[in-house]
Amino acid sequence: MFVNITIPNWSDFAHFVPEAIMFGAFLLALMGDVIVRGRKPVVPFLITLLGALAALYYSFASPPVGDAGVLGSLVMIDSFAGFFRIVFSFVAVVTILFSWSSEEIMGSTREHKGEYYALIALMTGGMMVMAEARDLVMLFMSMELVALTSYVMAGYMRNSLRSTEASLKYVIFGAVSSGIMLFGMSLLFGMTGQMTFVGIRDALVANPVNDLSMLVVLIMIMAGFGYKIAMVPFHFWCPDVYEGAPTPVSAFFSVGPKAAGFALMIRFFFTVFQPIVDTIDWPLMIAILSAVTMTYGNIVAVKQTNVKRLLAYSSIAHVGYLLMGFLLLTPGGLQAILFYLLVYAVMNLGAFMFVSAINNSIKSEELSDYAGLGFRAPWASVMMFIFLVSLVGLPPAAGFIGKLYLFTEVLREGWYWLAIVGVLNSVISLFYYMQIARAMYFEKVPEDAPAVKIAPLHYVTMALLAVPTLILGLYWSEFKAIADQAIAGF
Amino acid sequence: MMEVGLTHYLTVGAILFTLGIFAVMTRRNTVALLMGVELILNGANVNFVAFSRFVETSIDGHIMAAFVIVLAAAEAAVALAIVLAMFRNFGTVHVDSVDSLKQ
């Protein structure tokens, strides 16, 4: 018997152009790597670079209009998703360009080096889907797509002890926390009988469940998100993974999956918990988590001697600042988070790239080996100084504006003690960021210091990040408007 | 005879979950640790299917369970590959002996 198969949502795939480009680039790069053999994987590099550029161009040129719930109710393509498409494809372009000259990636003894670029493309596509998920199934699947890819990337240097240990710690922490999250989701599904975020919210408003079971579910789901964004007390993997993984990979991890985790968290909690925010002591919980996260990150960072590890702890501290915007789940706070994520992506990526570029020639990430770097690699050090100033949150760099918006929101909501904790933390962070600057500029160049040679491509990528760091600190209103509009679509 | 209802299934799910967490916390062998993760995922699966059958008579929970089964297989593949790399580099699958990164 002839069965007329209709696919009612076929036209929905027109909404998926950037994702389709990234997933297509992944497949083509894998094939290209096998077919075209050579000393350097030119074909996968070009395919993924052009793919990421095309996705970036498309995300700018035709941002999503209105809010289209496509593929049934699995994903939501709206301006919020559009904002994150731009962030992720930009991060992918910079990382791919940078990795080409990186010794850690291209100097390894692997046979198929093109896999690295293919994995970056896959992960970028997965992160875009994370920002679009509006259903428990899609939430979990997209998170795991990104997670599985990142386990492989963390262990990319498979003959290195540190890299293997990083991926082992990543996979164990990741698997356990996502398992706990899944169990929490199963309970949430049982309490509401719904899979979509909107359905869950309506069911919770119509039939409130008791506070204790809501709290249990919330904590379980927080375990998954907290792991993804490296929030205390789910942060244990973060310093080890960032230190052990190849530096370009750490750079990508510290901004990409973290921003994607925040995107998913914003959409999930804003949709599900916004109407019942008062019944579960949400603001107090987030305020405590935020204060603990930033204080822990900053205090531990002070005594680090490895710059990569120092930046890992500083990225934990930045998660604490970002969480301040979550307090009351107000649009203003979320807009501040989005803008700070944009700023954070640019400046943190830049700082990691500098570490990687230096590691390329002196094979070390120790602070003591950074002595006099300001004179051995003047241009790169100037750019690093810009990133450091921005990470502290001093004007005229972008970090200042980002923090200003976050603190304004916290004060507007009346959480004065949290704002004070945040400001004190910025003072602590000034100390350890400036330790790097001090080593670069105020310490004598050792007699036997190896020469520092920075690849041209590394100058280009660092400039691609240093210039936006300054622009976002001086003419931010255009970019803030994009972030504001992304939340307005909710 | 006693009727088997939602509570029984949820009890099984909760027991599986607890055993999984227990295995993860106590085992130091990486492979046994990953088996604990499988138990956690399957505990959640039992919950999904039971809720789908008794609370909401839709197939949402069943679909989720099917996805999770596939995902658990993929995760096991990646995780075991990493354990293999670990064994090659460290000569052991004992978690505590892996400490090349400073604490």
Side-chain angles (χ1 to χ4, degrees):
Chain A
M1 200 183 104
F2 176 73
V3 183
N4 186 18
I5 300 172
T6 56
I7 306 174
N9 294 321
W10 183 242
S11 60
D12 288 354
F13 284 95
H15 294 282
F16 281 118
V17 176
E19 290 81 0
I21 293 174
M22 292 321 290
F23 289 135
F26 161 67
L27 292 173
L28 283 177
L30 268 191
M31 281 193 283
D33 190 39
V34 177
I35 295 169
V36 186
R37 311 302 302 271
R39 206 171 53 81
K40 279 193 142 194
V42 185
V43 173
F45 169 72
L46 284 179
I47 289 173
T48 48
L49 181 62
L50 291 177
L53 281 172
L56 182 61
Y57 173 75
Y58 185 89
S59 313
F60 259 117
S62 52
V65 184
D67 40 358
V70 293
L71 290 183
S73 58
L74 286 175
V75 294
M76 173 76 113
I77 311 286
D78 51 11
S79 50
F80 182 75
F83 173 81
F84 279 100
R85 277 176 175 171
I86 295 174
V87 174
F88 294 147
S89 37
F90 176 71
V91 170
V93 167
V94 173
T95 312
I96 292 169
L97 265 181
F98 189 87
S99 304
W100 182 248
S101 297
S102 167
E103 279 295 315
E104 282 174 284
I105 302 296
M106 300 306 293
S108 75
T109 51
R110 284 179 91 96
E111 198 179 344
H112 295 287
K113 287 175 196 153
E115 280 168 9
Y116 173 80
Y117 298 102
L119 287 173
I120 285 193
L122 179 63
M123 203 158 151
T124 311
M127 293 189 306
M128 288 174 181
V129 179
M130 264 174 90
E132 292 156 6
R134 57 173 296 216
D135 184 284
L136 290 184
V137 178
M138 212 61 193
L139 183 160
F140 193 66
M141 298 315 289
S142 57
M143 267 183 88
E144 288 301 299
L145 172 61
V146 172
L148 287 180
T149 320
S150 53
Y151 304 150
V152 180
M153 279 173 69
Y156 182 76
M157 298 190 292
R158 59 184 164 186
N159 293 323
S160 141
L161 295 188
R162 298 191 337 156
S163 183
T164 311
E165 180 178 346
S167 73
L168 183 78
K169 288 193 169 156
Y170 208 7
V171 78
I172 288 173
F173 279 112
V176 174
S177 55
S178 64
I180 295 175
M181 184 189 192
L182 184 71
F183 198 80
M185 276 159 49
S186 79
L187 295 179
L188 191 61
F189 171 64
M191 294 192 305
T192 59
Q194 298 289 329
M195 277 289 186
T196 59
F197 297 171
V198 178
I200 292 172
R201 179 193 59 200
D202 293 346
L204 285 177
V205 171
N207 313 302
V209 295
N210 76 54
D211 289 355
L212 184 64
S213 34
M214 202 64 240
L215 194 65
V216 171
V217 167
L218 196 62
I219 289 172
M220 285 182 150
I221 291 182
M222 263 308 203
F225 284 127
Y227 153 78
K228 199 93 225 158
I229 63 173
M231 173 182 80
V232 174
F234 308 106
H235 64 281
F236 297 103
W237 59 276
C238 178
D240 286 345
V241 170
Y242 288 1
E243 189 191 339
T247 318
V249 174
S250 313
F252 193 54
F253 284 176
S254 74
V255 294
K258 208 168 258 195
F262 264 104
L264 194 50
M265 210 167 147
I266 288 172
R267 200 189 282 277
F268 179 76
F269 286 121
F270 185 75
T271 317
V272 174
F273 288 110
Q274 211 259 338
I276 53 168
V277 73
D278 293 328
T279 62
I280 48 174
D281 255 346
W282 169 272
L284 184 63
M285 196 174 93
I286 291 294
I288 291 173
L289 282 174
S290 158
V292 171
T293 304
M294 61 177 119
T295 313
Y296 173 85
N298 279 323
I299 286 180
V300 182
V302 167
K303 56 179 191 212
Q304 297 305 318
T305 54
N306 180 311
V307 180
K308 226 163 136 187
R309 207 170 171 84
L310 187 152
L311 286 176
Y313 280 109
S314 103
S315 82
I316 294 178
H318 281 277
V319 169
Y321 301 137
L322 280 160
L323 279 175
M324 291 197 301
F326 256 113
L327 275 181
L328 289 177
L329 291 172
T330 50
L334 299 182
Q335 284 162 348
I337 291 186
L338 250 57
F339 183 70
Y340 198 75
L341 274 177
L342 186 67
V343 172
Y344 171 78
V346 175
M347 63 190 183
N348 206 51
L349 204 56
F352 267 103
M353 298 273 159
F354 174 80
V355 175
S356 180
I358 295 302
N359 182 36
N360 239 10
S361 49
I362 68 170
K363 301 283 176 254
S364 166
E365 294 134 9
E366 291 298 319
L367 195 55
S368 51
D369 291 326
Y370 276 36
L373 219 50
F375 308 102
R376 290 150 71 192
W379 286 106
S381 299
V382 166
M383 289 195 259
M384 180 60 169
F385 189 70
I386 294 173
F387 298 136
L388 288 176
V389 166
S390 182
L391 283 165
V392 180
L394 293 176
F400 172 70
I401 306 297
K403 269 192 186 154
L404 190 65
Y405 277 116
L406 278 171
F407 283 124
T408 312
E409 283 305 318
V410 172
L411 290 176
R412 182 180 301 163
E413 287 157 13
W415 289 80
Y416 299 108
W417 68 265
L418 186 61
I420 292 169
V421 171
V423 172
L424 288 179
N425 266 292
S426 299
V427 177
I428 302 176
S429 74
L430 178 69
F431 174 71
Y432 64 80
Y433 287 128
M434 285 309 130
Q435 261 187 340
I436 303 180
R438 191 178 62 94
M440 290 196 307
Y441 286 106
F442 293 107
E443 278 177 22
K444 280 208 186 76
V445 184
E447 296 291 320
D448 55 344
V452 178
K453 192 173 174 305
I454 298 204
L457 211 48
H458 288 175
Y459 277 124
V460 173
T461 42
M462 277 198 279
L464 264 179
L465 295 164
V467 172
T469 307
L470 287 177
I471 291 179
L472 281 169
L474 296 171
Y475 306 98
W476 65 88
S477 52
E478 300 273 318
F479 298 93
K480 183 73 170 70
I482 298 177
D484 290 354
Q485 202 215 333
I487 292 291
F490 261 9
Chain B
M1 213 180 90
M2 194 178 65
E3 181 101 355
V4 176
L6 177 60
T7 322
H8 298 88
Y9 287 104
L10 294 188
T11 311
V12 173
I15 289 174
L16 279 176
F17 178 75
T18 318
L19 285 177
I21 293 286
F22 183 72
V24 168
M25 307 251 269
T26 55
R27 291 308 182 109
R28 299 275 62 111
N29 181 320
T30 319
V31 180
L33 220 143
L34 291 172
M35 286 161 75
V37 173
E38 296 292 309
L39 285 184
I40 296 177
L41 292 179
N42 282 327
N45 266 354
V46 170
N47 269 8
F48 269 117
V49 175
F51 281 133
S52 196
R53 164 76 177 75
F54 288 100
V55 177
E56 176 79 2
T57 46
S58 69
I59 59 164
D60 282 354
H62 300 277
I63 292 174
M64 184 71 174
F67 271 115
V68 173
I69 291 170
V70 175
L71 184 114
E75 196 163 70
V78 170
L80 287 176
I82 289 170
V83 173
L84 206 63
M86 169 197 178
F87 184 71
R88 208 180 286 138
N89 286 331
F90 290 89
T92 173
V93 288
H94 211 253
V95 192
D96 295 334
S97 54
V98 178
D99 52 358
S100 60
L101 298 170
K102 66 178 99 161
Q103 286 302 312

